[in-house]
Amino acid sequence: MSEEAFGALSNATRRWVLKVLHERNSPIDLNALPDEPSIYKEPPESFEIALHHIHLPKLDDAGFVDWDHEQGMVAKGPQFDEARLLLDLIEDSDNPDSLAT
């Protein structure tokens, strides 16, 4: 996996986008995000600006998502499964009980 891919997964917001895509198994309508206030760790306007100008471009460049910024939709990209494997490892490392044998 490339440095770009690891960089794309280094941020909690980007991991959240991938997790939502995995759980829903369908594209995300970015226009519906305000209906999910629990995702905001900062003011919604700041979150949306960062999502559009930083996070989604990084995920799209890495091939983890296909982002249609004109339609406001995000879908799984061609490298999504590669990202999902790494996310599973990250989640396991965050849960010490999952590492016990």
Side-chain angles (χ1 to χ4, degrees), residues 11-18 20 24 28-57 59 67 74:
N11 179 274
T13 299
R14 293 189 287 270
R15 291 191 305 270
W16 172 82
V17 169
L18 296 172
V20 170
R24 291 185 183 178
I28 300 171
D29 181 355
L30 297 175
N31 299 314
L33 285 181
D35 296 335
E36 299 182 34
S38 63
I39 65 170
Y40 303 121
K41 294 184 177 156
E42 53 194 75
E45 299 81 20
S46 298
F47 177 85
E48 290 177 22
I49 289 169
L51 193 64
H52 285 84
H53 292 281
I54 299 169
H55 304 305
L56 291 174
L59 290 171
W67 174 38
V74 179

Side-chain angles (χ1 to χ4, degrees), residues 79-98:
Q79 302 301 320
F80 181 84
D81 289 336
E82 183 179 333
R84 188 66 222 159
L85 290 173
L86 265 178
L87 287 175
D88 289 342
L89 290 173
I90 291 168
E91 289 174 5
D92 285 347
S93 70
D94 288 342
N95 180 4
D97 293 336
S98 69

